[in-house]
Amino acid sequence: MNFQENESVQMVRQMVRDFAERNVRPHVMEWDESQTFPVHVFKELGKLGLMGVLVPEEYNGSGFGYLEYYAAIDELSKVCGSIGLSMAAHNSLCTGHILQFANADQKKRWLPKLATAEWIGAWGLTEANTGSDALRMKCVAKKEGNEWVLNGSKNWITHGITGDIAVVLARTGELLDSHGITAFVVERGTPGFKGGKKENKLGMRASETAEMIFEDCRIPEENVLGNVGDGFIQAMKVLDGGRISIAALSLGIAKGAYEAAVKYSKEREQFGQPISQFQAIGFKLADMATQIEAAELLIQESAHLKNHGKSVTKVSAMAKYYASEVCVRVANEAVQIFGGYGYTKDFPVEKFYRDCKLCTIGEGTSEIQKLVISRQILKD
């Protein structure tokens, strides 16, 4: 691997950094306090090609690879985890699922609108009683003529209310059958499809998380992604790539908290000198920097493997697991370095501290990542 970022990655980093400073940072706490999902920001990201980072140019995407993709999420998340999370969910999950498994006509129909953020995407796998245990899902689709009738609900869905289009996983076969789940594309405005409860969250409050409800929702046959019964297998492959994006989200939050802590430690004086000069603080910063560096190397490895079409199941799970746990540790230490100020909303690390925890839960908990890693190790 070449650890030097190429010109394309550097260009994306600088573009996103400038965008975040200009369009996101001034509003971070305003959106967080009011739980505002700033749709207009994502429309602007779409104009920059950042809502279709991995989508080929023929579908109005940027045609970039995973190195550019992780760099973009990293830079956004250094300023606001919520914006990084929503960008990641749109790109990796909804758009990513269609990109990987749609036929040519379906790609022409949906990808150009997603890649430009004309449409915001959602992805529905999780239900109220089935998180990691997805094979017990109760959302079902039954065939009637040339249509499928969908009934049930999905929970914890990013853009569940605002999203213009959703990829929805529903049971079309027997309970616990990994070939009994099918992926459907449902457009907003389809009768029987509506948003439900919006979650009132600890962190990531400017990224909309909500319920999606389906009541006799009729979906045409041409909206099935891939073969009937392949949905669960597709979802697992989508999550393999999605873990890279959550790792990048974790990395960005960790970097944001770390950089704020370094700056503050140089400015804050106690006992006649900056607190950065005390070994207790210096050692904290050393640990934070080392863990961030290690997390980024794992992410780069998984992005490199993904770009070259190689299996990323083990390495992306490692990257997601390690980066998300590092994110929590770094944010915690950043609050400690700020002391009492770190506990207030006037300083940035309080928000990093609240945002970081989601990274160890979303798209597979740390425990699930360890399960994936251990199975891959034993299989190998």
Side-chain angles (χ1 to χ4, degrees):
M1 278 182 64
N2 181 0
F3 295 101
Q4 182 66 41
E5 289 190 342
N6 63 35
E7 185 178 352
S8 175
V9 176
Q10 292 175 5
M11 179 197 73
V12 169
R13 273 200 186 279
Q14 190 59 55
M15 177 177 68
V16 178
R17 190 177 298 147
D18 293 343
F19 178 89
E21 289 297 328
R22 186 172 62 251
N23 298 288
V24 179
R25 193 178 294 280
H27 309 288
V28 166
M29 290 311 296
E30 168 198 341
W31 294 336
D32 182 78
E33 292 284 320
S34 63
Q35 297 197 73
T36 297
F37 175 54
V39 176
H40 68 281
V41 169
F42 297 95
K43 300 293 185 182
E44 293 301 314
L45 285 170
K47 292 177 183 177
L48 295 177
L50 294 169
M51 296 296 273
V53 180
L54 304 169
V55 176
E57 292 180 25
E58 64 183 292
Y59 301 115
N60 294 341
S62 297
F64 287 133
Y66 271 78
L67 288 168
E68 289 87 355
Y69 181 38
Y70 107 75
I73 297 172
D74 178 15
E75 291 297 332
L76 272 180
S77 305
K78 278 201 281 188
V79 176
C80 181
S82 294
I83 305 302
L85 173 62
S86 277
M87 180 206 161
H90 172 93
N91 276 281
S92 285
L93 300 180
C94 181
T95 305
H97 199 140
I98 292 171
L99 181 61
Q100 286 187 66
F101 298 106
N103 60 39
D105 288 340
Q106 290 171 329
K107 288 179 180 179
K108 289 177 186 176
R109 180 178 167 192
W110 294 311
L111 284 179
K113 292 181 179 179
L114 285 163
T116 57
E118 179 183 342
W119 281 4
I120 302 295
W123 191 74
L125 175 66
T126 304
E127 298 180 8
N129 296 310
T130 57
S132 302
D133 190 12
L135 288 178
R136 295 182 192 273
M137 69 171 57
K138 295 180 180 178
C139 188
V140 297
K142 294 185 178 180
K143 188 77 179 293
E144 290 187 7
N146 292 323
E147 294 179 317
W148 289 85
V149 182
L150 184 61
N151 279 286
S153 63
K154 296 292 177 177
N155 293 66
W156 301 102
I157 307 304
T158 306
H159 316 144
I161 295 171
T162 302
D164 301 285
I165 183 173
V167 175
V168 181
L169 285 300
R171 186 158 56 82
T172 52
E174 296 301 315
L175 198 68
L176 301 179
D177 180 5
S178 62
H179 293 283
I181 292 173
T182 302
F184 300 90
V185 175
V186 189
E187 297 178 16
R188 189 71 65 178
T190 302
F193 173 32
K194 63 181 181 180
K197 175 191 174 187
K198 179 179 177 180
E199 301 296 340
N200 185 9
K201 300 175 299 190
L202 169 72
M204 302 289 196
R205 290 165 61 83
S207 177
E208 178 187 276
T209 306
E211 185 182 28
M212 294 194 301
I213 300 170
F214 306 93
E215 296 174 339
D216 292 329
C217 180
R218 291 186 172 272
I219 305 165
E221 177 73 30
E222 58 265 29
N223 283 29
V224 173
L225 287 179
N227 296 321
V228 172
D230 283 353
F232 181 77
I233 309 302
Q234 293 173 7
M236 295 304 102
K237 292 179 180 177
V238 169
L239 288 172
D240 271 354
R243 289 179 182 125
I244 299 173
S245 68
I246 300 301
L249 170 68
S250 305
L251 180 70
I253 293 171
K255 284 182 179 178
Y258 166 74
E259 291 172 6
V262 170
K263 183 175 184 292
Y264 180 79
S265 73
K266 292 178 178 179
E267 296 171 350
R268 173 69 167 173
E269 291 192 0
Q270 291 287 275
F271 306 102
Q273 61 181 326
I275 63 171
S276 59
Q277 297 304 306
F278 294 107
Q279 191 178 75
I281 302 301
F283 279 13
K284 285 184 186 297
L285 295 172
D287 283 338
M288 294 157 79
T290 301
Q291 292 171 53
I292 287 170
E293 191 82 13
E296 186 151 27
L297 289 172
L298 272 172
I299 295 167
Q300 288 175 341
E301 182 184 4
S302 58
H304 176 81
L305 290 172
K306 187 71 174 171
N307 279 348
H308 287 81
K310 297 182 180 179
S311 174
V312 296
T313 302
K314 181 177 73 174
V315 179
S316 67
M318 286 178 168
K320 195 272 185 190
Y321 165 54
Y322 186 72
S324 64
E325 294 291 341
V326 164
C327 177
V328 171
R329 290 197 293 270
V330 168
N332 181 58
E333 291 288 44
V335 172
Q336 196 69 17
I337 289 170
F338 270 76
Y341 290 117
Y343 206 64
T344 72
K345 293 183 182 292
D346 294 328
F347 289 80
V349 291
E350 175 270 345
K351 183 176 181 296
F352 289 125
Y353 186 67
R354 287 187 291 106
D355 286 349
C356 71
K357 190 56 192 170
L358 182 277
C359 298
T360 69
I361 298 170
E363 289 196 36
T365 63
S366 291
E367 291 73 22
I368 288 294
Q369 304 312 316
K370 286 192 275 190
L371 185 64
V372 171
I373 295 163
S374 63
R375 284 177 175 172
Q376 289 296 310
I377 290 169
L378 295 171
K379 186 172 76 173
D380 293 342

